[in-house]
């Protein structure tokens, strides 16, 4: 074995260990792909094996409603349910299905567009973005009792509920500005404050399992990269460089972040930066979401 191959094998072994295993029968990640024509939700193991579509129903990619058939998957804390957004009715609404792709049911039905679901750690509520410009909302897990979180006029989106249930990270854009920063707010709308100050476009926050850091993508210059930052707003760290990397998702053991770049899903070891491509760029994959490891605690 050459030295280059030895290093590659070592890097792959380290990465798969960090991902929590390489058994192709495991269902570790949900993601979105257009490999069958429409945007739909798929699943695979942490190693990239066992890739398969979760549902048999297909949309018609020749129409907007059929093209955006299923997007933005979010696992419930117990791993039994996946919430997602779909335009199958002509307007983006939130739906939920069993983790095997069966039993799809609609959660929202207003005239406004809904998307970007994220579960509370106790599984009882879902935060999401509603309207245009989008605003931050919370509803019960069955779709009832929707209420707005803040009363700000700024555009709000990309919510991510913290593992302890006490905070929601989200992206805010002030009226008349192109700058998007990460903010934190309590589920009751209190203690709202800005987390980043990069002066660019930040998006897609994802909490580490211990709640101490967040991963996110940001375009400070011309391309998006993956960063992490402390929950206190300190210690910004750059993980990627210049590849238009977006949509980070933190593994349940905290060792790995999977993100989308160029139509493929890539995993990076947070400690040493070793990367491994999990899917083919030609499949146009995005929006990775890890199956939960352990349940969190809510307020």
């Amino acid at each position: 074995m050459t030295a280059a191959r030895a290093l590659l094998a070592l890097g792959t072994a380290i990465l798969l260990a960090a991902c929590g295993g390489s058994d192709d029968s495991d269902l570790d990640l949900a993601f979105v792909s257009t490999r069958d024509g429409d945007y739909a939700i798929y699943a695979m193991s942490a190693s990239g094996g066992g890739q398969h579509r979760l549902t048999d129903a297909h949309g018609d990619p020749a129409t907007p409603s059929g093209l955006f058939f299923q997007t933005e998957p979010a696992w419930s804390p117990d791993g039994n349910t996946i919430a997602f957004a779909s335009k199958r009715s002509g307007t983006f609404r939130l739906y939920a299905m069993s983790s095997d792709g069966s039993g799809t049911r609609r959660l929202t039905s207003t005239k406004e567009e809904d998307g970007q679901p994220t579960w509370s750690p106790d599984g009882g509520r879902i935060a999401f973005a509603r309207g245009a410009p989008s605003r931050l909302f919370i509803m019960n897990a069955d779709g009832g009792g929707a209420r707005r979180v803040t009363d700000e006029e700024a555009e709000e989106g990309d919510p991510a509920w913290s593992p302890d249930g006490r905070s929601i990270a989200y992206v805010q854009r002030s009226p008349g500005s192109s700058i998007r920063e990460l903010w934190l707010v309590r589920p009751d709308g209190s203690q709202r404050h800005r987390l980043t100050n990069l002066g660019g476009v930040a998006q897609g926050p994802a909490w580490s399992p211990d709640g101490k850091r967040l991963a996110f993508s940001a375009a400070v210059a011309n391309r998006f990269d993956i960063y992490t930052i402390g929950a206190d707003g300190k210690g910004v760290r750059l993980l990627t460089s210049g590849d238009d990397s977006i949509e980070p998702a933190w593994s349940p053991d905290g060792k790995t972040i999977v993100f989308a770049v160029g139509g493929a899903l890539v995993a990076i070891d947070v400690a040493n930066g070793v990367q491994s491509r999990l899917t083919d760029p030609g499949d146009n994959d995005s929006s990775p979401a890890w199956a939960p490891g352990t349940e969190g605690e809510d307020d």
Side-chain angles (χ1 to χ4, degrees), residues 29-44 51-54 66-75 82-86 92 97 116-117 246-247 249 258-265 279-290:
L29 284 156
F31 62 100
V32 174
S33 180
T34 61
R35 62 186 67 186
D36 289 340
D38 58 335
Y39 284 90
I41 297 173
Y42 291 71
M44 65 179 177
Q51 297 176 31
H52 65 281
R53 183 166 177 147
L54 281 182
L67 176 61
F68 296 101
F69 199 63
Q70 292 177 146
T71 64
E72 301 171 347
W75 292 84
I82 297 175
F84 62 94
S86 175
F92 269 114
M97 64 182 177
Q116 303 168 349
I246 58 173
E247 300 177 323
V258 172
F259 57 92
V261 55
L265 298 184
T279 68
D280 191 325
D283 290 333
N284 192 30
D285 300 331
S286 61
S287 302
W290 284 91

Side-chain angles (χ1 to χ4, degrees), residues 52-64:
H52 65 281
R53 183 166 177 147
L54 281 182
T55 57
D56 293 330
H58 288 251
D60 179 4
T63 66

Side-chain angles (χ1 to χ4, degrees), residues 2 8 10 22 44 55 72 133 153 177 192 208 220 228 249 279 284:
T2 66
L8 179 60
L10 177 61
S22 58
M44 65 179 177
T55 57
E72 301 171 347
E153 292 304 315
S177 173
R192 189 181 65 90
S208 62
V220 178
T228 66
T279 68
N284 192 30

Side-chain angles (χ1 to χ4, degrees), residues 28 43 61 102 111 132 286:
D28 297 313
S102 65
K111 293 181 179 180
S286 61

Side-chain angles (χ1 to χ4, degrees), residues 75-82 97-100 292:
W75 292 84
S76 63
D78 62 9
N80 293 328
T81 306
I82 297 175
M97 64 182 177
S98 298
S99 58
D100 63 359

Side-chain angles (χ1 to χ4, degrees), residues 225-255:
D225 285 303
I226 305 299
Y227 295 78
T228 66
I229 188 172
D232 59 0
K234 300 177 181 178
V236 176
R237 178 189 173 197
L238 177 65
L239 293 185
T240 65
S241 182
D243 292 327
D244 262 343
S245 304
I246 58 173
E247 300 177 323
W250 219 307
S251 65
D253 64 7
K255 298 178 180 179

Side-chain angles (χ1 to χ4, degrees), residues 68 71-72 84-87 89-95 106-117 126-139 143 146 159:
F68 296 101
T71 64
E72 301 171 347
F84 62 94
S86 175
K87 204 172 184 179
S89 65
T91 300
F92 269 114
R93 295 190 172 112
L94 296 184
Y95 294 76
R106 190 169 67 186
L107 299 179
T108 64
S109 57
T110 68
K111 293 181 179 180
E112 296 183 286
E113 297 204 335
D114 298 326
Q116 303 168 349
I126 295 174
F128 63 101
R130 165 169 285 176
S134 60
R135 311 288 195 221
L136 191 63
F137 277 74
I138 290 177
M139 66 181 179

